[in-house]
Structures are given as C-alpha cells and as structure tokens.
Amino acid sequence: MPDQLSFLKRKTGVIVGDDVRNLFLHAQKKGFAIPAINVTSSSTVVAALEAARDNNSPIILQTSQGGAAYFAGKGVKNSNQEASIGGAVAAAHYIRSVAPLYGIPVILHTDHCAKKLLPWFEGFLAADEAYYKEHGEPLFSSHMLDLSEETDDENIATCVKYFKRMAKMNQWLEMEIGITGGEEDGVNNENADKELLYTKPETVFAVHKALAPISPNFSIAAAFGNVHGVYKPGNVVLRPSLLGDHQKYSKEQLKSESDKPLFLVFHGGSGSTQEEFDTGIRNGVVKVNLDTDCQYAYLIGIRDYVLKKKDYIMSQVGNPEGDDKPNKKYFDPRVWVREGEKTMSARVTEALNIFHTANQL
C-alpha cells in the first residue's frame, strides 16, 4: 500500500485498536467519511468488499441483531439471542478470513444494540474477550450501544460500564444519544417526540466527559433529525449543521486546539442529499450508516435477472431455445445471486464517491 497509510500498523484486512482511531483521524483530516454497510450474508459482504477494493477505499462492515441472526440461519431459534450471537461471531470470522484478499483496511462492527438486546452484546463481547486472550486483540474492531430510548443518565452509565470492559482490549465504542426516527430491528421510533430527534451540545459533551477518562476510542451518534429508511421529501428535516455546534461547544469546554474534538456518526443515511452529507463530514462525521439503499440495490440485480430470464427458469429443462435445452446455467444460485452482488456493489461505489472515500488509500 502507499506510504500515505503509514499511520496504520495493519493495512489490509480487519483493523483494531489504535488503527481504528488513526483511520478516523485520517478521515477527519482528509475530509471524508467511511460508509458502514449492514451485511447479512457472505454475499453482501463480498458486494461491499468488492466496491471498496475497486475504489481504493476503507470500508466498515456491520451486523445488526437481526442481520446476525439471519447470518446464522432463519431456522435457528433466537429466544436467548443465540442465533444473533452465533451469527455475529460467524460473520466476524468469515470477514476476518476473506478481508485480506481484498487488500483494504476493514472495520468490523456491530450495529444498534438497545437495552432489550444487551444479552446479544454480552454474547459477542465474551467472544471478543476469548479471542483477545488467544490473539492479543478483540474479534471485532468496534461495537455500538444504542440506549437512546432510556434516560440520558442510564444511557451514559451503561456505556461507561461496557466501555470499561472494551477498553481493556483497546476496542472502539460507538454510542447513540438522542434517538434516530423510523424503525429498525424491532426498535420503533416512528411516533417519537420530534424534539428528541435533535441532541443538544451539552448532552453530547456529557458523553465525552464520561467516556474520555476511560479511553479516547469512541464515537458519538448524536441525533440531528435522522430517520432510518427512505421517506418522502419533506417528511424528514435533517439539521447536520447542529454537529458543528457540538464540536464548537466541546472545543470550548476542553480548551482543545482541534476544531473537531469529537468523532461523530451519521445514522439514517439512505435518501439523504449530497449537501447534508457534506455538512456532516465538514463537522466531523467519520462514519455513515447505509442499509436501506443497499438492500434495495441488492434486490434490483436479482429482480431484473428473474424478469429477463423468466422463460429460462420456469423448469430445469426446456426454454425458448428448445424443449430439451437444460437451464442449469440460468438457475444456478451463483448466477442470479451474483447479479444482486453487482448492483449492491454499484450502490456502495456510489456512496464511496458521495462520502469522498474513494481513492483515499
């Protein structure tokens, strides 16, 4: 890799510890954010990695609680989060195995974990600690705690509790303060008080004040009107300029020389405008979540293939070219699943350009 990645100890594959922080610092310095792609299968992992490799970019791959359960298999019971734990751990080992083949740095992350999902968090954190004992680093690069439905005091206190465990492994924590609207993985904020969608600078700084003495390796997903999913224009009012207020307030409180003392995260990125992303990135956003758009993009390739090849996939034998013609080369999953990978990869490429991530390695 070029000398410009000299700040990374590990330049390809899953990165951890100080490398994660240094990559985020590099993003702030160069004015880009890294897309965080929700993955639910080896196929979606490949689609994201291909886009990052082909655009000379870092990437964040993350599993949600529901996505992790899907990775394990929909036929596995999940009453005690066993499928979500096993699926997240399986995804992590798979990504660790294949990521070096793509020649780019990858941050391995878990997405929103609400209070009711803490048994899931406990499960993969135990896997991190076991992996750390054997390899000297955690299995995952980072995790997200989303206690935004709870009081701010409980939210911050819970983050402090888990961050102390994570800091022993030099692991990154992302936390959410203020809520993201919409619905994702069973957490429904569609009817939430609109005031809760905009976090105040004093609240954001309270998070920094609580976490910074433990470790510098954390980011804050402060709400600025974010909503999961894609909605009609005008239904969502994003105010990413508020992130600049958070940075300014924290800079004053810390008497920091940096204009961006906070690492910030942009949630609900699907459907947002270039201007909104640019404003967020200028104000210290280093990570942008992208899920809904990628889900639809994955469908497009498969949908179009099925519509185009309909007469070749109605039976194993027999198509417009002849009643005795075999159709295996059309219905082989490696053919039509690959079409979904291509269109999802194209959408990730689009994001890499929008977030100014392309060609940053």
Side-chain angles (χ1 to χ4, degrees):
M1 300 293 272
D3 290 339
Q4 68 190 68
L5 286 188
S6 59
F7 59 88
L8 293 180
K9 297 175 185 175
R10 182 181 299 160
K11 297 174 176 56
T12 63
V14 172
I15 63 172
V16 295
D18 292 343
D19 276 350
V20 175
R21 186 167 189 271
N22 287 335
L23 181 56
F24 286 148
L25 282 169
H26 182 67
Q28 282 190 337
K29 180 181 178 182
K30 295 292 186 178
F32 70 91
I34 306 171
I37 309 301
N38 284 66
V39 294
T40 56
S41 64
S42 61
S43 179
T44 52
V45 168
V46 164
L49 288 174
E50 264 191 33
R53 178 201 63 197
D54 293 348
N55 289 277
N56 206 29
S57 305
I59 196 78
I60 300 170
L61 302 182
Q62 60 188 25
T63 59
S64 67
Q65 180 261 354
Y70 186 85
F71 218 108
K74 290 293 285 185
V76 179
K77 291 183 179 179
N78 203 28
S79 54
N80 295 309
Q81 300 298 323
E82 55 265 55
S84 292
I85 294 167
V89 171
H93 282 290
Y94 172 72
I95 291 168
R96 274 187 170 271
S97 178
V98 301
L101 302 175
Y102 290 82
I104 54 167
V106 176
I107 294 175
L108 179 54
H109 183 66
T110 58
D111 203 5
H112 295 264
C113 181
K115 183 178 181 178
K116 65 182 181 181
L117 301 180
L118 285 176
W120 175 50
F121 199 95
E122 290 276 359
F124 58 63
L125 195 56
D128 278 319
E129 290 165 338
Y131 194 89
Y132 182 85
K133 188 174 181 180
E134 184 175 351
H135 299 281
E137 65 183 52
L139 179 61
F140 290 85
S141 312
S142 59
H143 298 300
M144 183 195 178
L145 280 169
D146 180 2
L147 282 296
S148 56
E149 289 187 312
E150 317 310 320
T151 65
D152 289 346
D153 287 346
E154 181 180 353
N155 182 352
I156 294 171
T158 304
C159 289
V160 166
K161 171 188 169 184
Y162 284 105
F163 196 34
K164 287 179 178 177
R165 282 177 65 181
M166 296 169 67
K168 293 176 182 177
M169 299 178 282
N170 203 23
Q171 194 171 38
W172 191 272
L173 170 69
E174 175 188 337
M175 68 85 66
E176 181 164 340
I177 193 84
I179 66 171
T180 299
E183 190 275 335
E184 183 172 72
D185 267 359
V187 178
N188 193 324
N189 292 322
E190 291 179 311
N191 299 311
D193 183 346
K194 285 184 170 51
E195 283 298 311
L196 298 177
L197 298 177
Y198 303 96
T199 311
K200 294 178 172 59
E202 295 83 358
T203 306
V204 173
F205 184 69
V207 174
H208 184 279
K209 189 175 180 180
L211 298 182
I214 302 170
S215 166
N217 294 339
F218 65 93
S219 52
I220 303 171
F224 53 95
N226 321 63
V227 174
H228 288 128
V230 177
Y231 295 83
K232 290 182 180 179
N235 285 5
V236 176
V237 182
L238 285 182
R239 295 170 59 193
S241 59
L242 290 176
L243 301 178
D245 296 338
H246 302 333
Q247 297 284 16
K248 182 179 178 181
Y249 184 83
S250 293
K251 174 183 172 70
E252 291 170 351
Q253 296 300 309
L254 295 168
K255 295 179 174 55
S256 173
E257 295 182 2
S258 172
D259 290 332
K260 300 171 187 175
L262 306 174
F263 294 103
L264 300 175
V265 178
F266 192 130
H267 281 189
S270 293
S272 299
T273 67
Q274 182 71 62
E275 182 181 359
E276 288 164 344
F277 287 127
D278 286 348
T279 301
I281 292 167
R282 282 197 303 271
N283 289 317
V285 164
V286 295
K287 172 179 180 279
V288 182
N289 283 12
L290 193 66
D291 184 20
T292 305
D293 280 1
C294 287
Q295 291 176 338
Y296 188 69
Y298 190 85
L299 167 67
I300 288 172
I302 297 173
R303 178 200 67 192
D304 291 354
Y305 178 84
V306 169
L307 292 174
K308 183 179 179 181
K309 300 295 184 182
K310 176 179 176 295
D311 294 333
Y312 292 82
I313 58 174
M314 300 304 290
S315 61
Q316 292 191 54
V317 178
N319 60 50
E321 297 175 23
D323 292 341
D324 61 343
K325 297 293 185 181
N327 293 322
K328 179 174 172 55
K329 66 180 179 181
Y330 300 105
F331 63 72
D332 186 332
R334 291 172 295 182
V335 176
W336 52 268
V337 169
R338 178 60 180 157
E339 296 304 310
E341 292 172 0
K342 290 177 183 177
T343 46
M344 178 177 163
S345 190
R347 181 60 184 89
V348 176
T349 291
E350 184 181 338
L352 292 168
N353 284 295
I354 291 171
F355 307 155
H356 313 294
T357 331
N359 298 312
Q360 292 288 354
L361 298 181

